[in-house]
Amino acid sequence: NAGVMQNPRHLVRRRGQEARLRCSPMKGHSHVYWYRQLPEEGLKFMVYLQKENIIDESGMPKERFSAEFPKEGPSILRIQQVVRGDSAAYFCASSPGQYSGANVLTFGAGSRLTVL
Amino acid sequence: SQQGEEDPQALSIQEGENATMNCSYKTSINNLQWYRQNSGRGLVHLILIRSNEREKHSGRLRVTLDTSKKSSSLLITASRAADTASYFCATPQTSGSRLTFGEGTQLTVNP
């Protein structure tokens, strides 16, 4: 029973290119969360999705960033026209669709984006 | 300052000693969680304490919650070198919603 799978683990892009990060949630989980972590810092919330639906995108930058979680396939975080400040570790987490008021997250190993 | 702030930022102890980390938060919560992150890895859930609980144990971990002071502590007893990691507290914005993480405490356990 694989956990949360993220790929790629490492991604190098030049300024202006696009970065696509993928996340397959844990089996049985229907909620996906994306977080960003800069070196030596905590996790900053970006977006919360369910299948085909964005629930909370209050942490997403207004431009260049988008996320989706289609009916079939992994969730994708897309960063267009990357800049050096986008260099960070991007973590995906998932949780079950049903809960008793406590949302415990299962995290992937992260995707580390380096923008040259 | 933001929801879920850990203190201290860094802690260095010897193997066998106890490590205590604190977390303060601002809004009302129905639960508080602690996670661990080993260097270069994702976060792993350690323990959850509900708002109607004052203390909870799991192996060498002890978590306390004081809702009147809006604070929690994580105690790791008889620490081991393998406990070296960053520890984060996390609180939900609303019931079942996204978690907000603090900046973390970097714990180093020296052999």
Side-chain angles (χ1 to χ4, degrees):
Chain A
N1 183 18
V4 177
M5 304 302 291
Q6 288 190 248
N7 69 83
R9 289 295 310 278
H10 300 275
L11 183 63
V12 179
R13 285 287 179 266
R14 297 191 181 280
R15 281 179 296 169
Q17 291 184 321
E18 178 180 285
R20 282 197 183 204
L21 310 178
R22 295 174 188 78
C23 169
S24 294
M26 193 167 177
K27 187 175 180 180
H29 287 189
S30 59
H31 295 200
V32 166
Y33 307 78
W34 286 94
Y35 287 83
R36 177 165 60 179
Q37 185 178 38
L38 296 172
E40 310 301 324
E41 292 190 10
L43 274 73
K44 304 302 181 190
F45 168 77
M46 299 183 75
V47 63
Y48 163 31
L49 312 101
Q50 295 177 20
K51 286 281 187 183
E52 299 183 285
N53 199 12
I54 296 175
I55 305 302
D56 180 355
E57 56 181 348
S58 58
M60 287 280 271
K62 293 288 185 271
E63 298 176 348
R64 302 188 298 108
F65 285 72
S66 63
E68 62 177 2
F69 189 14
K71 187 177 180 181
E72 301 291 339
S75 175
I76 295 174
L77 178 67
R78 185 166 73 170
I79 312 172
Q80 296 177 297
Q81 299 175 340
V82 297
V83 301
R84 288 211 175 114
D86 297 332
S87 296
Y90 292 83
F91 289 95
C92 172
S94 70
S95 69
Q98 296 174 343
Y99 48 80
S100 57
N103 210 22
V104 174
L105 302 186
T106 301
F107 279 84
S111 292
R112 279 151 187 82
L113 172 65
T114 301
V115 180
L116 302 178
Chain B
S1 57
Q2 58 181 334
Q3 181 89 333
E5 292 192 354
E6 290 89 348
D7 149 59
Q9 286 190 325
L11 180 62
S12 181
I13 60 175
Q14 295 300 124
E15 232 176 1
E17 294 181 337
N18 295 341
T20 300
M21 289 158 272
N22 303 297
C23 167
S24 60
Y25 59 92
K26 291 193 165 185
T27 62
S28 296
I29 58 172
N30 61 8
N31 72 83
L32 183 144
Q33 303 176 36
W34 285 90
Y35 288 76
R36 182 184 72 202
Q37 183 181 33
N38 289 84
S39 181
R41 310 290 292 273
L43 276 71
V44 174
H45 178 257
L46 293 177
I47 193 167
L48 178 151
I49 186 166
R50 297 185 187 275
S51 59
N52 60 354
E53 298 175 306
R54 290 296 168 258
E55 189 171 307
K56 197 164 183 178
H57 297 252
S58 176
R60 293 184 296 112
L61 304 180
R62 190 187 88 170
V63 170
T64 62
L65 179 63
D66 187 334
T67 53
S68 67
K69 295 181 179 178
K70 289 186 166 61
S71 68
S72 173
S73 68
L74 171 67
L75 168 68
I76 304 174
T77 60
S79 64
R80 305 166 181 168
D83 294 329
T84 294
S86 291
Y87 291 82
F88 297 89
C89 67
T91 52
Q93 294 300 102
T94 58
S95 176
S97 73
R98 62 177 170 92
L99 296 181
T100 296
F101 289 84
E103 296 298 311
T105 292
Q106 171 61 52
L107 173 66
T108 302
V109 181
N110 302 298

